[in-house]
Amino acid sequence: MIGAIDLVNSTTRNSNAANSHRKDTAGDKPGRSVEPGWYGADPLTMDLKSNPHDAYRQLREQQPVNLTPAGDWRLSRYADIQQLLKHSNSGVRDTRGRIPEESQEDSDNSKFMLRLDPPDHDRIRNLVTKAFTPRALAAMRPAIEPLVSGELDRISACGTMDVVADLALTVPAASMCAMLGVPFQDRHELTELVSLATYRLAKLAIPDMQEQADAALFKLGSYMYALIEERRRRPTDDILSLLVQAEEAGERLSNDELLQQSIGLLIAGLETTIGLIANGMLCFSRHPDQFEKLAADPTLVHSAVEECLRFEPSVPVTRRILWEDTEFGGVTLPADAIVYAVIIGANRDPAVFSQPDRFDIARNEARHCSFGGGIHFCLGSHLARMNAEIAFLAMAQRFRDFHADDSQLQWAPSLFRIPGRLPATFKCRA
Ligand code: HEM
């Protein structure tokens, strides 16, 4: 997921790397050589938020193992992405243990699991997984559902809504409060801090926001520190308490690790889930027959969530750094190459999905790539799915003739693909 950010960061680098890669690798080794280019999908000049799919189809068709003019690589075929994420010798840091675009010192201080390789990654992930038990998640559902119902009660008389403010934000905000065991009234302050702190990950791409992002991160750190201390003194039954107590073979998270995981979880979970719900409602608006199908058969909600994740993913790319020369589709990429897995392209790969541009909530095919893969596969996937199920079912059961106004859709100033505003109209079901 951090890859979405880094792809934009890396294209801003002033680099001659593309030509050197071409000479050093694909040209010299067995396998095809590649001509650097954007091949229809240039993240700097094109509106890849509004119109991504044609662009990434062109990329997949013209140069599936793509060398960008910035010197990085992009894979857009499903099979290549599975190979990269699950079977290649690669990680999220280079062979010297450095996170690309960051100093050695910043890399050494970075302890969120998505920025770590084994063995630290595995030790921390194992501990955090202990807090994300099915039981802990199931216990959150009754806390979230009434809050969503309350929000929909509030808007149902109007016949109009902003899908983001009135639904997509409410659900992850409610689950964030339940995770931390804080009152729902704190959600506005908390979501604002988390949204601002997210810009911290995009130092190069959005430099103007860095002062605000740093201030937000500092405040969030103090807030979480106080909360963690409180949970140490008086454990409750929320996920934060489980995280504080998580222990395996006598190992616990250090204070710094604990703080970074707690903040990282909020950052990893908020915008991504807003995107899933808002993009999903946009799909339902564009395909009203599918909305009615869900209303008529609520058991379809699981496959409906998967189809929304596949069709309009909120995290378009993730990435790995190769630790040895590796071949993808006849092209050999060198050790230390930065390789982006173009999730949004792979999710519509016709080699894997029949009629990939058709939105079908009853589809039952291969798993999409929207939660990444391998050892970094999204730890919050079950929570994200549960949140989206609550949101889509509540909407389909209450409302009909749901229509989101595409012309009023505003993308959030986020590096993910997330609506910031999406006005819609609806009628209440009898
Ligand atoms: C629709 C919502 C979400 C999407 C699309 C999403 C997507 C992703 C992606 C693409 C990755 C990177 C995987 C890789 O590089 O292989 C990731 C990792 C991660 N996600 Fe999510 N995510 C979502 C929600 C959440 C939630 C709700 C949480 C927790 C509250 C969460 C926690 C994490 C964590 C901890 C990681 C890092 C796992 C690791 O490094 O081992 N995510 N997510």
Side-chain angles (χ1 to χ4, degrees):
M1 162 202 336
I2 304 301
I5 289 150
D6 294 325
L7 177 57
V8 181
N9 278 342
S10 75
T11 54
T12 61
R13 283 199 312 251
N14 182 10
S15 154
N16 287 325
N19 285 330
S20 64
H21 271 313
R22 194 177 149 207
K23 182 164 160 283
D24 292 341
T25 62
D28 290 352
K29 303 214 185 274
R32 284 202 307 276
S33 70
V34 290
E35 191 61 39
W38 292 113
Y39 292 89
D42 177 349
L44 287 182
T45 61
M46 297 174 64
D47 181 5
L48 287 180
K49 286 199 176 167
S50 303
N51 300 304
H53 300 298
D54 270 354
Y56 287 117
R57 183 181 41 72
Q58 275 187 54
L59 177 70
R60 196 181 54 239
E61 287 173 1
Q62 291 175 15
Q63 197 181 72
V65 181
N66 168 234
L67 177 56
T68 74
D72 302 322
W73 295 83
R74 294 187 294 183
L75 304 176
S76 49
R77 278 188 305 220
Y78 188 93
D80 291 336
I81 288 181
Q82 295 295 314
Q83 184 195 335
L84 174 72
L85 299 179
K86 293 185 180 162
H87 307 298
S88 67
N89 188 15
S90 62
V92 293
R93 297 174 175 229
D94 65 20
T95 45
R96 293 173 304 283
R98 215 165 61 89
I99 301 171
E101 293 106 24
E102 290 197 9
S103 67
Q104 189 68 51
E105 193 190 357
D106 283 353
S107 300
D108 292 345
N109 291 333
S110 204
K111 301 268 186 328
F112 181 51
M113 68 181 94
L114 188 49
R115 321 197 100 212
L116 292 173
D117 290 318
D120 282 343
H121 167 271
D122 300 3
R123 178 178 58 81
I124 291 182
R125 178 160 174 140
N126 284 343
L127 286 164
V128 176
T129 305
K130 289 189 172 293
F132 274 77
T133 59
R135 198 156 144 240
L137 293 186
M140 285 167 67
R141 188 182 272 269
I144 300 168
E145 276 171 342
L147 296 172
V148 174
S149 270
E151 289 292 279
L152 298 189
D153 281 347
R154 188 175 57 75
I155 58 160
S156 55
C158 321
T160 62
M161 70 188 292
D162 172 12
V163 175
V164 177
D166 298 324
L167 178 74
L169 181 59
T170 305
V171 185
S175 66
M176 189 184 283
C177 292
M179 239 165 71
L180 302 181
V182 300
F184 190 51
Q185 290 88 292
D186 284 9
R187 69 189 183 283
H188 296 303
E189 192 194 354
L190 207 52
T191 51
E192 169 139 24
L193 286 181
V194 175
S195 296
L196 284 172
T198 306
Y199 287 108
R200 186 70 204 292
L201 301 169
K203 281 190 202 153
L204 296 178
I206 313 187
D208 299 355
M209 293 297 291
Q210 290 314 305
E211 224 169 281
Q212 270 179 287
D214 282 346
L217 199 59
F218 184 77
K219 270 197 193 168
L220 197 57
S222 312
Y223 181 90
M224 292 304 297
Y225 184 81
L227 214 53
I228 287 170
E229 288 305 304
E230 174 68 25
R231 293 294 176 275
R232 270 197 222 287
R233 281 196 298 275
R234 265 188 297 277
T236 49
D237 54 1
D238 48 61
I239 287 195
L240 186 62
S241 294
L242 294 175
L243 207 54
V244 170
Q245 293 156 27
E247 183 172 346
E248 189 175 76
E251 283 251 33
R252 285 195 169 210
L253 294 167
S254 71
N255 278 349
D256 191 26
E257 286 170 352
L258 179 56
L259 192 62
Q260 291 204 35
Q261 304 322 303
S262 332
I263 295 175
L265 285 170
L266 301 183
I267 290 178
L270 180 67
E271 292 211 333
T272 49
T273 309
I274 296 174
L276 166 57
I277 295 172
N279 288 335
M281 289 312 300
L282 197 55
C283 292
F284 283 121
S285 166
R286 290 173 180 164
H287 303 90
D289 60 317
Q290 299 295 305
F291 192 57
E292 282 312 301
K293 201 167 167 174
L294 176 61
D297 181 0
T299 64
L300 285 173
V301 73
H302 309 292
S303 55
V305 169
E306 297 311 301
E307 183 65 344
C308 292
L309 280 159
R310 181 189 77 84
F311 206 70
E312 297 292 359
S314 52
V315 181
V317 300
T318 187
R319 82 171 183 191
R320 295 292 185 270
I321 324 308
L322 295 181
W323 292 343
E324 63 183 12
D325 293 5
T326 311
E327 190 185 312
F328 292 93
V331 181
T332 303
L333 280 54
D336 276 332
I338 300 177
V339 189
Y340 291 93
V342 183
I343 291 170
I344 193 166
N347 279 356
R348 294 193 183 206
D349 184 343
V352 176
F353 299 100
S354 54
Q355 293 185 276
D357 294 323
R358 194 163 63 90
F359 178 68
D360 174 5
I361 66 165
R363 189 185 285 272
N364 186 11
E365 285 179 316
R367 181 163 278 197
H368 55 74
C369 302
S370 298
F371 289 128
I375 65 165
H376 292 284
F377 182 82
C378 177
L379 185 74
S381 61
H382 295 301
L383 178 58
R385 288 181 170 119
M386 180 177 84
N387 280 336
E389 282 175 26
I390 293 172
F392 295 156
L393 266 188
M395 289 294 291
Q397 286 177 334
R398 276 171 176 246
F399 302 140
R400 62 182 171 84
D401 297 332
F402 173 79
H403 175 70
D405 186 349
D406 269 62
S407 69
Q408 300 287 314
L409 161 64
Q410 285 171 15
W411 294 102
S414 163
L415 289 164
F416 301 131
R417 196 165 162 263
I418 292 160
R421 184 165 176 272
L422 181 58
T425 55
F426 56 83
K427 297 200 174 78
C428 289
R429 291 191 191 276

